Amino acid sequence: MRMNRDVIIACDFSGKTQVLDFLDLFKEGRKPFVKIGMELFYSEGPEIVREIKRRGHRIFLDLKLHDIPNTVRKAMAVLSGLDVDMVNVHAAGTIAMMEAAREGLTRPDGSRPLLIAVTQLTSTSEERMQSELLIGASMEDTISLYALNARKAGLDGVVCSPREAGLVKDMCGKDFLTVTPGIRFEGAAADDQVRITTPARAREIGSDFIVVGRPVTAAADPVAAYNKCIEEFI
Ligand code: C5P
């Protein structure tokens, strides 16, 4: 189940034409691992996943499922049939929901995509988590517990900021995967990300996968930017 360190490009494009034109840039050389999110999946449907798979890319389908266990189990069985490589759920759905997700994803031959949990969204501040969600613990303790729950449910890892990756590894073991967004090159604009890390630093901290969006998708030369990520991180 363990996979090698890799760079995942967040393909935050609104439609098929834009994403396929972008991926056409990578016809030669290494085929990037790509992340497809809700916007593209909801606008283009499962066919966009099949098309990108046919082109030889690995896919992280970032749909963050969160529902009753039975519904999540069945939805995951459908996603598993799409032959994606990584999917995710909200750890807030409970251990039972995460177990159901893992069962649904598992194919008759025992193989399955990697299954990752979102602990707390980075858009949620500790203050709002406490006042609106009535979670009295600190953000750090909440993330640690949710990561442990994910491990108990047999998941492969969590999405977290690089800052939390060390904590998660300490709590859950070095083989528990950390998938970390918020990546920027040295000296580049942060955009709307708050806690940013370079690919090289993410490697030092122990991230297994970095998720990189605009530093590659909005670069003057996306292939060069992607190759720079690979050089620094792999
Ligand atoms: O363009 P940028 O590199 O900021 O994109 C980061 C990607 O990672 C986006 O698709 C964003 O939605 C996603 N992400 C994130 N922070 C999280 C979880 C996902 O930035 N905690």
Side-chain angles (χ1 to χ4, degrees), residues 10 12 35 62 64 121-122 159 181-184 192-193 211-215:
D12 295 322
K35 177 170 91 75
D62 180 16
K64 302 186 180 72
L121 294 169
T122 44
V159 183
I183 303 296
R184 290 295 178 271
D192 52 353
Q193 296 283 13
V211 178
V212 190
R214 288 159 290 181

mmCIF file of all heavy atoms in Angstrom, residues 10 12 35 62 64 121-122 159 181-184 192-193 211-215, ligand 1:
data_model
loop_
_atom_site.group_PDB
_atom_site.id
_atom_site.type_symbol
_atom_site.label_atom_id
_atom_site.label_comp_id
_atom_site.label_asym_id
_atom_site.label_seq_id
_atom_site.Cartn_x
_atom_site.Cartn_y
_atom_site.Cartn_z
ATOM 1 N N ALA A 10 -2.743 20.191 -8.247
ATOM 2 C CA ALA A 10 -4.168 20.468 -8.038
ATOM 3 C C ALA A 10 -4.718 21.093 -9.312
ATOM 4 O O ALA A 10 -4.422 22.252 -9.624
ATOM 5 C CB ALA A 10 -4.347 21.417 -6.853
ATOM 6 N N ASP A 12 -7.256 22.735 -10.478
ATOM 7 C CA ASP A 12 -8.449 23.504 -10.127
ATOM 8 C C ASP A 12 -8.932 24.292 -11.341
ATOM 9 O O ASP A 12 -8.885 25.527 -11.359
ATOM 10 C CB ASP A 12 -8.141 24.434 -8.938
ATOM 11 C CG ASP A 12 -7.831 23.642 -7.670
ATOM 12 O OD1 ASP A 12 -8.480 22.607 -7.455
ATOM 13 O OD2 ASP A 12 -6.937 24.050 -6.910
ATOM 14 N N LYS A 35 -4.726 16.123 -8.954
ATOM 15 C CA LYS A 35 -5.869 16.164 -8.033
ATOM 16 C C LYS A 35 -7.056 16.777 -8.767
ATOM 17 O O LYS A 35 -6.933 17.852 -9.352
ATOM 18 C CB LYS A 35 -5.543 16.998 -6.796
ATOM 19 C CG LYS A 35 -6.719 17.138 -5.840
ATOM 20 C CD LYS A 35 -6.305 17.759 -4.514
ATOM 21 C CE LYS A 35 -6.418 19.257 -4.475
ATOM 22 N NZ LYS A 35 -7.790 19.772 -4.357
ATOM 23 N N ASP A 62 -10.585 14.392 -5.004
ATOM 24 C CA ASP A 62 -10.736 15.129 -3.741
ATOM 25 C C ASP A 62 -12.197 15.538 -3.553
ATOM 26 O O ASP A 62 -12.574 16.674 -3.811
ATOM 27 C CB ASP A 62 -9.811 16.364 -3.816
ATOM 28 C CG ASP A 62 -9.858 17.223 -2.575
ATOM 29 O OD1 ASP A 62 -10.342 16.768 -1.531
ATOM 30 O OD2 ASP A 62 -9.393 18.388 -2.658
ATOM 31 N N LYS A 64 -14.002 14.601 -0.587
ATOM 32 C CA LYS A 64 -14.242 14.778 0.867
ATOM 33 C C LYS A 64 -15.616 14.262 1.299
ATOM 34 O O LYS A 64 -16.456 15.021 1.776
ATOM 35 C CB LYS A 64 -14.093 16.240 1.262
ATOM 36 C CG LYS A 64 -12.741 16.853 0.936
ATOM 37 C CD LYS A 64 -12.624 18.267 1.508
ATOM 38 C CE LYS A 64 -11.298 18.922 1.225
ATOM 39 N NZ LYS A 64 -11.104 19.331 -0.162
ATOM 40 N N LEU A 121 -10.495 21.306 8.280
ATOM 41 C CA LEU A 121 -10.137 22.122 7.118
ATOM 42 C C LEU A 121 -9.251 23.282 7.567
ATOM 43 O O LEU A 121 -9.470 23.844 8.653
ATOM 44 C CB LEU A 121 -11.403 22.686 6.464
ATOM 45 C CG LEU A 121 -12.335 21.666 5.825
ATOM 46 C CD1 LEU A 121 -13.662 22.324 5.467
ATOM 47 C CD2 LEU A 121 -11.698 21.059 4.590
ATOM 48 N N THR A 122 -8.286 23.634 6.738
ATOM 49 C CA THR A 122 -7.398 24.742 7.140
ATOM 50 C C THR A 122 -8.140 26.074 7.118
ATOM 51 O O THR A 122 -7.658 27.066 7.649
ATOM 52 C CB THR A 122 -6.155 24.829 6.240
ATOM 53 O OG1 THR A 122 -6.555 24.680 4.885
ATOM 54 C CG2 THR A 122 -5.134 23.773 6.603
ATOM 55 N N VAL A 159 -4.824 14.495 5.155
ATOM 56 C CA VAL A 159 -4.427 15.755 4.535
ATOM 57 C C VAL A 159 -4.147 16.715 5.681
ATOM 58 O O VAL A 159 -4.950 16.804 6.609
ATOM 59 C CB VAL A 159 -5.574 16.366 3.683
ATOM 60 C CG1 VAL A 159 -5.113 17.636 3.001
ATOM 61 C CG2 VAL A 159 -6.086 15.368 2.670
ATOM 62 N N PRO A 181 -0.920 20.378 1.282
ATOM 63 C CA PRO A 181 -1.019 21.544 0.395
ATOM 64 C C PRO A 181 -0.291 22.738 1.018
ATOM 65 O O PRO A 181 0.460 22.567 1.988
ATOM 66 C CB PRO A 181 -2.512 21.806 0.299
ATOM 67 C CG PRO A 181 -3.177 20.903 1.288
ATOM 68 C CD PRO A 181 -2.133 20.225 2.109
ATOM 69 N N GLY A 182 -0.511 23.928 0.458
ATOM 70 C CA GLY A 182 0.143 25.127 1.010
ATOM 71 C C GLY A 182 1.599 25.195 0.605
ATOM 72 O O GLY A 182 2.468 25.591 1.396
ATOM 73 N N ILE A 183 1.911 24.810 -0.624
ATOM 74 C CA ILE A 183 3.300 24.771 -1.091
ATOM 75 C C ILE A 183 3.588 25.989 -1.977
ATOM 76 O O ILE A 183 2.812 26.313 -2.878
ATOM 77 C CB ILE A 183 3.546 23.457 -1.895
ATOM 78 C CG1 ILE A 183 3.215 22.217 -1.044
ATOM 79 C CG2 ILE A 183 4.974 23.418 -2.438
ATOM 80 C CD1 ILE A 183 4.076 22.005 0.186
ATOM 81 N N ARG A 184 4.684 26.652 -1.711
ATOM 82 C CA ARG A 184 5.111 27.790 -2.542
ATOM 83 C C ARG A 184 6.622 27.739 -2.695
ATOM 84 O O ARG A 184 7.330 27.306 -1.784
ATOM 85 C CB ARG A 184 4.734 29.132 -1.876
ATOM 86 C CG ARG A 184 3.229 29.414 -1.859
ATOM 87 C CD ARG A 184 2.647 29.582 -3.246
ATOM 88 N NE ARG A 184 1.205 29.818 -3.271
ATOM 89 C CZ ARG A 184 0.285 28.864 -3.315
ATOM 90 N NH1 ARG A 184 0.628 27.583 -3.323
ATOM 91 N NH2 ARG A 184 -0.999 29.180 -3.372
ATOM 92 N N ASP A 192 -3.781 33.089 -1.290
ATOM 93 C CA ASP A 192 -4.637 33.069 -0.102
ATOM 94 C C ASP A 192 -4.192 32.031 0.924
ATOM 95 O O ASP A 192 -4.874 31.804 1.908
ATOM 96 C CB ASP A 192 -6.098 32.802 -0.519
ATOM 97 C CG ASP A 192 -6.228 31.561 -1.394
ATOM 98 O OD1 ASP A 192 -5.182 30.997 -1.784
ATOM 99 O OD2 ASP A 192 -7.359 31.166 -1.676
ATOM 100 N N GLN A 193 -3.060 31.382 0.705
ATOM 101 C CA GLN A 193 -2.569 30.412 1.685
ATOM 102 C C GLN A 193 -1.889 31.165 2.826
ATOM 103 O O GLN A 193 -1.260 32.190 2.605
ATOM 104 C CB GLN A 193 -1.569 29.438 1.042
ATOM 105 C CG GLN A 193 -2.167 28.563 -0.054
ATOM 106 C CD GLN A 193 -2.998 27.403 0.508
ATOM 107 O OE1 GLN A 193 -3.320 27.378 1.692
ATOM 108 N NE2 GLN A 193 -3.358 26.482 -0.361
ATOM 109 N N VAL A 211 0.682 18.774 -2.444
ATOM 110 C CA VAL A 211 -0.356 19.171 -3.399
ATOM 111 C C VAL A 211 -0.046 20.602 -3.822
ATOM 112 O O VAL A 211 -0.045 21.507 -2.992
ATOM 113 C CB VAL A 211 -1.758 19.098 -2.750
ATOM 114 C CG1 VAL A 211 -2.819 19.572 -3.736
ATOM 115 C CG2 VAL A 211 -2.055 17.690 -2.279
ATOM 116 N N VAL A 212 0.245 20.777 -5.096
ATOM 117 C CA VAL A 212 0.664 22.090 -5.599
ATOM 118 C C VAL A 212 -0.304 22.542 -6.678
ATOM 119 O O VAL A 212 -0.510 21.821 -7.658
ATOM 120 C CB VAL A 212 2.091 22.027 -6.197
ATOM 121 C CG1 VAL A 212 2.600 23.427 -6.486
ATOM 122 C CG2 VAL A 212 3.045 21.289 -5.281
ATOM 123 N N GLY A 213 -0.903 23.713 -6.481
ATOM 124 C CA GLY A 213 -1.834 24.241 -7.477
ATOM 125 C C GLY A 213 -1.217 25.368 -8.268
ATOM 126 O O GLY A 213 -0.438 25.148 -9.196
ATOM 127 N N ARG A 214 -1.544 26.593 -7.897
ATOM 128 C CA ARG A 214 -1.158 27.771 -8.678
ATOM 129 C C ARG A 214 0.330 27.916 -8.978
ATOM 130 O O ARG A 214 0.668 28.404 -10.067
ATOM 131 C CB ARG A 214 -1.717 29.036 -8.001
ATOM 132 C CG ARG A 214 -3.225 29.133 -8.176
ATOM 133 C CD ARG A 214 -3.880 30.029 -7.163
ATOM 134 N NE ARG A 214 -3.847 29.426 -5.826
ATOM 135 C CZ ARG A 214 -4.362 29.984 -4.752
ATOM 136 N NH1 ARG A 214 -4.945 31.171 -4.835
ATOM 137 N NH2 ARG A 214 -4.304 29.371 -3.581
ATOM 138 N N PRO A 215 1.244 27.504 -8.077
ATOM 139 C CA PRO A 215 2.659 27.635 -8.457
ATOM 140 C C PRO A 215 2.992 26.877 -9.748
ATOM 141 O O PRO A 215 3.964 27.217 -10.431
ATOM 142 C CB PRO A 215 3.409 27.046 -7.259
ATOM 143 C CG PRO A 215 2.477 27.251 -6.110
ATOM 144 C CD PRO A 215 1.085 27.064 -6.684
HETATM 145 O O1 C5P B 1 -3.076 26.857 -5.640
HETATM 146 P P1 C5P B 1 -2.676 26.165 -4.354
HETATM 147 O O2 C5P B 1 -1.300 25.554 -4.407
HETATM 148 O O3 C5P B 1 -2.897 27.038 -3.147
HETATM 149 O O4 C5P B 1 -3.707 24.948 -4.261
HETATM 150 C C1 C5P B 1 -3.728 24.081 -3.176
HETATM 151 C C2 C5P B 1 -4.770 23.015 -3.381
HETATM 152 O O5 C5P B 1 -4.882 22.248 -2.202
HETATM 153 C C3 C5P B 1 -6.176 23.541 -3.688
HETATM 154 O O6 C5P B 1 -6.817 22.587 -4.541
HETATM 155 C C4 C5P B 1 -6.822 23.580 -2.323
HETATM 156 O O7 C5P B 1 -8.221 23.450 -2.393
HETATM 157 C C5 C5P B 1 -6.215 22.347 -1.677
HETATM 158 N N1 C5P B 1 -6.201 22.325 -0.225
HETATM 159 C C6 C5P B 1 -5.624 23.321 0.541
HETATM 160 N N2 C5P B 1 -5.657 23.239 1.900
HETATM 161 C C7 C5P B 1 -6.248 22.191 2.491
HETATM 162 C C8 C5P B 1 -6.829 21.188 1.736
HETATM 163 C C9 C5P B 1 -6.797 21.284 0.368
HETATM 164 O O8 C5P B 1 -5.053 24.254 0.004
HETATM 165 N N3 C5P B 1 -6.230 22.083 3.793
#
